[in-house]
Structures are given as structure tokens and as C-alpha cells.
Amino acid sequence: MAGYRDLVRTPGVLRIIAAQLTARFPNGMTSLVILLHVEGITGSYGAAGTVLAAASIGQALAGPVTSRLMGRFGMRRVIALTTLVCAAALTAMAFWIAPLYVYIVLGFIAGLTTPPIVAAARTIYPKLVTSRQLTALYSLDASLQEIIWIIAPVLITVTATQFGTTQGLMLVVVILIGGCSWFVLSPEVGRVRIPPSKRAFGKVLSRPPVLLAAIIGFLFIGSFAAVEASVVATFNHEGLDAGIVLAVFSIGSLIGGFAFGHLPMGPWAMARRLTVVAIGLALASLWLNVWWISVTLFAAGIGIAPALAVGSAITTASVKFSDTAEAFGWTGTGQLIGAAVGSAVAGFLIDITGGPAAGYWAATALCALALVVAVVFVRSMPDLRVRGAAPLPDTDVIRTVTP
């Protein structure tokens, strides 16, 4: 824990972490409140799901693009503009009683203009701390983000059910504008300038660690989405059980990140951490009892934040600083697609088998596939135990000839 104490004493670190977590807080609220709002208006969960799908597609398409644009126009301009447009789309959705296609368009716009806070924050981190401290900082970031998934769904559910979905959407808008304003106005954001990338768009995926981070993220996050679908199917009529179990899952990740996330990251770090998660998910499918599932998902959660930290670290360490934002945009897109696929696969299996156990099997299989990828391509994983996770320099060595 000494490494974390040194981190929080570093000027600017606490402010950036707090600001970016606040700006990302709506991520744990938006999907749920849109689902409740559109279903309340149309009376159809299918219609609400279509709007959510449009938002997810927009967000997946925009991730690498808006992240790369920060190198051309600056972080403050891109984040400020996307925040305003996203807030306007959500506000229109809140107050405009319209046909379904209008909500689909608004959902797509809201997803397309989701502010690239994650890419911006993780691009700033290498400029705040030393390369040796970066792995611990990514671990701290991955751990603290679990607070969003513990608090945000409860907050928005209470707001939407007690005061109305319109008020819920406006709460999202207020937090979005407030959090993004705090982040944009932070001095550290103004001091860090991302050089325009000289590489073609998408070329960053030619770096094996970045491609691996995107593929593993796709499978790994897909397994979480399958877990969520399975837990909801297991405790659909059991009061608060589903929410409590998912909160325990996140608490396990929070504790795991603090306890183990700062450990040195060698080529096998990802595989070891994924193994913990895969075993926990496999055990969860054996007995669909609230206590058993809580214990096994807590155990699985211990490996989540540390594994996500490895993904962030190998991404940063494998690209030039000018390419870090776009690289994180691609890995984020992989995770978004994984979440959609994981939910769909788990839901389909639960329906055709008539029981939630199949959803846990799907989650285990997706995580196991991520583990296989990490093991098979371990030689492509950088060893960060010596050089740290700092990005590659943007300048090249100029050779001179002397007479």
C-alpha cells in the first residue's frame, strides 16, 4: 500500500482521479434510465432495448475517432463539445414525447458524443507520475471505478422510481456536465498536449499488445455482461438479491485492485489474474444460491481490477504518446462490443435452456477464452517489471556523421 500512498501525494493525481470518476459516473446510470424512460413511454422493453443498442453502437463507433481528435484539436475542445451535444441529446430524450425512431436517433447521438474521458485520463497519467508508478496508478484507477458500478445503478433506480425517469435523465445530465467541466478545467488537462499522430487511423492496432488488449477486453467485459444477465435471471423475483450480488462482485474487484493491482506486471500477469476470475465464475454456476453466488463472484472479482490494470498498462507501454488516446479508444470499443455480445449470448442461452445456469457457463467460457488468448500470445506481452509502463517516445534518434 506504500506505493498507493506515494501516488496520492503526487501533485494532481487525486484531482484527476476524482474528476474523471465524477465525469464517468453517468456511465453507470445512463443505460438503465434510458431503458426505464423509453419503456415507460412506449410500453415495450424491445423498443427500449433498440434505443440502448443505438446508443451502444454510437459509442463504439465514436471511441477511437473522438480519442484521436484530441490530438488534433486538444482535449479540452473535444471533451467540451461532446459533453454539450451528449447532454443536449439526453435532455431532448427526457422532455420530448416522440415516435420511437426519434429516440433511436437521440440515443445514437448520445452514444456517438459520449465524452472520451477514459482515453483522456489514461493519456494524462504518464505525465503525472514516473514510469514505475504507472502500473500502480492504473490499478488504483481500475479499482476506484468499481465505486461507479456499486453506487450509480442504485442512485438512478431510486431517482427514476421515486421521482420519475425525466428527473433521472436530468440527474445524469447534471452530473455529466458537472463532472466533465471539473475534468476539463483541471490544470493537468491544460498542461498536457497530445501531439497529432503521424500514423494512419487504426494503424495503432498493428501493435500486438494493443490488439491483444482489445481482444481480451472484448472477451473479458463480455463475461461480466453475461454475469449481470445471469444474476438478474437468477434473482428476478427475489427483491434486492440481484443488486446485492452484483455489488459484492464489484466490491471484490475493488478489494482485489487495492490488494494486488500494484504487483509487478510481467508477461504472465494477465494470465494469472484472468485465472482467478475464470475459476470464480466456474464455481458460481455450480449452485444457484444467493450466498454461494455472492462468495464465488466476490472471489472472481478479486482478479478483475488487477486484470484491467494490466490491459491499460500494456496499451500505454506499447505505443507512442501521440497514439495513446486512440489506442484506448480502440480498447474501449472492444469492451463495448464485448458487453453487447456477452449480454446477448447469455440471454439467448438462458432462454433456450430455461435456466440461468447457462448464463454463468457463457460467462465462464468467455473469460476462459480471454485466458487462452493471454496464454497463447504471452510472448507478445511486454515485461513491465523493468521498464515500467511509460509510452514510447515520439521523437526518433537523429544520426549525425562527423568528419
Side-chain angles (χ1 to χ4, degrees):
M1 299 298 288
Y4 290 137
R5 285 196 296 269
D6 292 338
L7 274 180
V8 297
R9 291 171 183 166
T10 303
V13 168
L14 271 181
R15 177 166 47 237
I16 284 295
I17 288 178
Q20 63 99 7
L21 284 176
T22 305
R24 291 165 58 192
F25 200 80
N27 292 350
M29 308 167 72
T30 306
S31 295
L32 185 54
V33 74
I34 288 177
L35 180 70
L36 294 171
H37 185 72
V38 176
E39 190 279 331
I41 293 174
T42 64
S44 168
Y45 279 105
T50 303
V51 176
L52 282 181
S56 297
I57 292 170
Q59 194 172 356
L61 291 174
V65 178
T66 54
S67 298
R68 185 180 174 94
L69 288 176
M70 290 192 292
R72 182 173 181 180
F73 298 106
M75 283 187 282
R76 282 179 164 166
R77 289 180 180 176
V78 172
I79 293 174
L81 179 60
T82 52
T83 299
L84 291 175
V85 177
C86 184
L90 292 174
T91 300
M93 189 180 295
F95 292 103
W96 194 359
I97 305 298
L100 177 61
Y101 73 87
V102 173
Y103 294 119
I104 294 173
V105 171
L106 290 174
F108 180 75
I109 293 173
L112 197 66
T113 57
T114 298
I117 297 296
V118 173
R122 294 177 182 172
T123 301
I124 292 171
Y125 286 161
K127 299 299 183 180
L128 295 180
V129 299
T130 65
S131 61
R132 295 291 184 87
Q133 292 177 304
L134 259 182
T135 53
L137 182 51
Y138 283 131
S139 298
L140 182 62
D141 177 282
S143 301
L144 291 177
Q145 74 177 359
E146 296 298 342
I147 296 173
I148 296 173
W149 306 108
I150 295 171
I151 299 175
V154 176
L155 175 61
I156 197 60
T157 300
V158 171
T159 302
T161 56
Q162 298 300 314
F163 301 98
T165 55
T166 297
Q167 288 81 353
L169 277 167
M170 293 314 299
L171 176 62
V172 171
V173 169
V174 169
I175 297 176
L176 177 69
I177 293 176
C180 290
S181 297
W182 183 11
F183 183 83
V184 165
L185 296 175
S186 297
E188 293 75 21
V189 177
R191 287 197 290 265
V192 175
R193 181 182 177 276
I194 305 174
S197 177
K198 298 177 182 178
R199 297 161 65 88
F201 179 70
K203 190 69 174 179
V204 69
L205 288 173
S206 64
R207 295 280 186 179
V210 178
L211 184 59
L212 281 176
I215 294 172
I216 290 173
F218 165 81
L219 296 168
F220 197 38
I221 300 301
S223 71
F224 303 161
V227 167
E228 291 179 358
S230 304
V231 169
V232 171
T234 303
F235 304 108
N236 189 33
H237 302 291
E238 300 295 332
L240 298 176
D241 284 352
I244 292 172
V245 169
L246 291 175
V248 168
F249 192 32
S250 296
I251 291 170
S253 177
L254 180 65
I255 293 175
F258 279 116
F260 306 110
H262 64 286
L263 296 177
M265 297 178 184
W268 287 96
M270 179 67 85
R272 286 196 297 268
R273 299 171 192 211
L274 289 175
T275 299
V276 174
V277 184
I279 292 173
L281 295 181
L283 291 174
S285 65
L286 299 180
W287 188 22
L288 303 186
N289 170 275
V290 63
W291 295 106
W292 176 256
I293 293 177
S294 296
V295 170
T296 52
L297 289 187
F298 177 84
I302 289 174
I304 292 175
L308 291 174
V310 175
S312 296
I314 65 174
T315 299
T316 300
S318 305
V319 298
K320 294 183 177 181
F321 179 68
S322 58
D323 292 322
T324 51
E326 184 188 341
F328 280 116
W330 283 109
T331 57
T333 291
Q335 293 175 3
L336 284 168
I337 297 173
V341 171
S343 295
V345 169
F348 175 75
L349 290 176
I350 290 169
D351 285 341
I352 64 173
T353 62
Y360 296 102
W361 301 337
T364 303
L366 287 168
C367 188
L369 282 174
L371 174 58
V372 170
V373 172
V375 170
V376 171
F377 297 98
V378 68
R379 292 183 180 274
S380 297
M381 294 285 188
D383 190 342
L384 306 180
R385 292 172 294 185
V386 178
R387 63 172 291 258
L392 303 174
D394 273 286
T395 55
D396 295 323
V397 175
I398 299 176
R399 298 185 181 278
T400 59
V401 179
T402 56

